[in-house]
Amino acid sequence: MLDVLTDTVFSFLPALICWSAFKKFGGTPIVGFVIGLMLVSPLLPNAYEVADASSNVEAVMAFGFIPITGYQGSVLTALVIGYLGSKLEIATRKVMPQALDMMFSPFVVIAVMLITALLILGPILHLVENGLVYVVEAFIHVPFGIGGLVIGFIYPLAVMTGMHHLFITIETALLGSTGFNPLITICAMYGFANAAVCFAISTRAKKSHVKVIGTSAGVTQLLGVSEPGLFGITLRYGTRPLAAMLAGSAIGGAVLSMLGIQANSYGLAVILSPLMYIYDPYQLITYIAVGVLTFILTFIITY
C-alpha cells in the first residue's frame, strides 16, 4: 500500500507533465493528458525493464534503428511534447472548420504528437535527459564534496534570479531515473542558512521593526518561503549577510555530498524536509545533524 501511495505518481509522471504543459501553454489539458498516458502505455516496452539487463525486455526497433520504448520517469520528453502539442492544437483549431473541430482537432494533435514523440523527439530527448542526469550525478559525487560546495553556493544565486525553477526538472529526472534526489539535499542547505541570517540580524538589531521583520522572515523561511528573508533581510543589509549565507549553504552542501545523503522525494523545505529521509535512519539523522550545524554556523558568522 505504501508503494502504491508513493510510486503511482512517478509511474504516470509524463501524463501529469503533458497535462500541465498543455494547460500552461494554452492547449486543452485533457488532450495533453491523453498524449502523456500514451507515452507510458503498457503496449510499449517499459523503460525501466529495458534498462534492466536481467529483464530480457528490449526496445522495439522501428525501421531497424529507432528504439521505441515507454517513457516512464522521463521529464524532458513529456515537457517538450506538451509544449509543441499545445501550440499545434492552437494552430489546428484556427484552420479546422468549426463543424469538424470537436472531432478532428484532438485526433490530429494526438496522432501527430505521438508519432513525433515515439519516432523523432523521444529517442533524442531521452538521450539528452540521461546525459543530464549522468552529468549532475557525477558532479554531485566529485571527491571531497567539491560538487556539493559549488551547487550549494550557486543555488541561492539562482533563487535571486528566478532560475531555481530549472532545478525542479533535473530533480524530477533524477527521481524518475534513479529513485533518489541528491540535488534537493544540497540545495536545501540554502534554507537553513538563509533562516539563520534572518534570526541573527533580528537578534543583533536595535530597531524594533527590524527585529520583527527579521523574525518573521526567518519563520517564513523555516516553512519553505525564502523570498521575504532573501530580499527583505539578507540582501538588504549589504554583502556580509549574503556572504555568510552563501558560505553556510556551500559548506552544508559539501558535507552532505561527502556523506552521500540523498532524498527520495522533493518539494519539502527546511523543517519539513527531514520527511524525505525517513526511509533510512542514517540518512535521516545525518541530514538533520548537518542541517542544524549549518544553521548554527551561519548564525554565528552572521552575528
Side-chain angles (χ1 to χ4, degrees):
M1 289 180 66
L2 288 175
D3 285 341
V4 171
L5 176 67
T6 58
D7 293 352
T8 300
V9 168
F10 294 104
S11 298
F12 298 98
L13 189 62
L16 299 175
I17 292 174
C18 270
W19 170 84
S20 181
F22 263 71
K23 183 178 179 181
K24 177 70 175 178
F25 297 114
T28 304
I30 191 63
V31 174
F33 191 72
V34 171
I35 295 173
L37 285 175
M38 289 179 175
L39 293 178
V40 291
S41 169
L43 297 175
L44 298 172
N46 186 286
Y48 298 128
E49 293 179 357
V50 172
D52 184 0
S54 63
S55 69
N56 295 320
V57 176
E58 298 181 354
V60 175
M61 301 304 292
F63 308 107
F65 67 96
I66 301 176
I68 296 180
T69 68
Y71 287 89
Q72 287 81 6
S74 179
V75 176
L76 193 57
T77 300
L79 184 60
V80 173
I81 292 299
Y83 171 76
L84 295 178
S86 65
K87 299 305 178 183
L88 176 62
E89 182 187 0
I90 293 172
T92 302
R93 291 189 184 279
K94 287 181 179 179
V95 300
M96 187 71 69
Q98 188 171 3
L100 302 176
D101 180 53
M102 182 177 294
M103 180 180 296
F104 286 101
S105 291
F107 174 78
V108 170
V109 173
I110 291 172
V112 171
M113 296 319 301
L114 181 65
I115 293 171
T116 302
L118 295 184
L119 297 180
I120 304 172
L121 289 180
I124 296 173
L125 293 175
H126 194 54
L127 289 175
V128 172
E129 189 172 61
N130 286 342
L132 181 63
V133 170
Y134 176 80
V135 169
V136 171
E137 275 199 299
F139 186 70
I140 289 174
H141 295 104
V142 169
F144 309 112
I146 295 174
L149 183 78
V150 173
I151 294 174
F153 181 85
I154 290 176
Y155 184 73
L157 302 177
V159 175
M160 289 168 54
T161 60
M163 297 294 288
H164 61 296
H165 295 293
L166 296 176
F167 283 68
I168 297 175
T169 302
I170 302 174
E171 290 175 31
T172 309
L174 284 167
L175 278 168
S177 300
T178 68
F180 293 100
N181 183 5
L183 186 57
I184 197 175
T185 302
I186 296 171
C187 296
M189 292 302 101
Y190 153 66
F192 287 93
N194 196 42
V197 169
C198 293
F199 285 120
I201 289 179
S202 175
T203 304
R204 285 295 300 267
K206 296 180 180 179
K207 297 180 179 179
S208 59
H209 74 279
V210 178
K211 287 183 175 291
V212 171
I213 293 173
T215 302
S216 175
V219 172
T220 303
Q221 173 63 85
L222 290 177
L223 296 175
V225 181
S226 67
E227 284 76 10
L230 180 62
F231 296 109
I233 296 294
T234 303
L235 293 176
R236 183 176 179 179
Y237 294 103
T239 57
R240 284 183 293 176
L242 175 62
M245 184 265 286
L246 291 174
S249 177
I251 293 171
V255 173
L256 289 170
S257 178
M258 284 190 291
L259 296 176
I261 306 304
Q262 51 187 0
N264 68 349
S265 180
Y266 68 170
L268 299 173
V270 197
I271 60 173
L272 294 177
S273 59
L275 292 173
M276 297 186 292
Y277 305 88
I278 58 176
Y279 69 93
D280 181 80
Y282 166 75
Q283 295 279 331
L284 176 63
I285 295 171
T286 305
Y287 176 81
I288 293 175
V290 174
V292 171
L293 290 173
T294 297
F295 180 92
I296 294 172
L297 174 64
T298 310
F299 182 93
I300 293 173
I301 294 173
T302 307
Y303 189 88

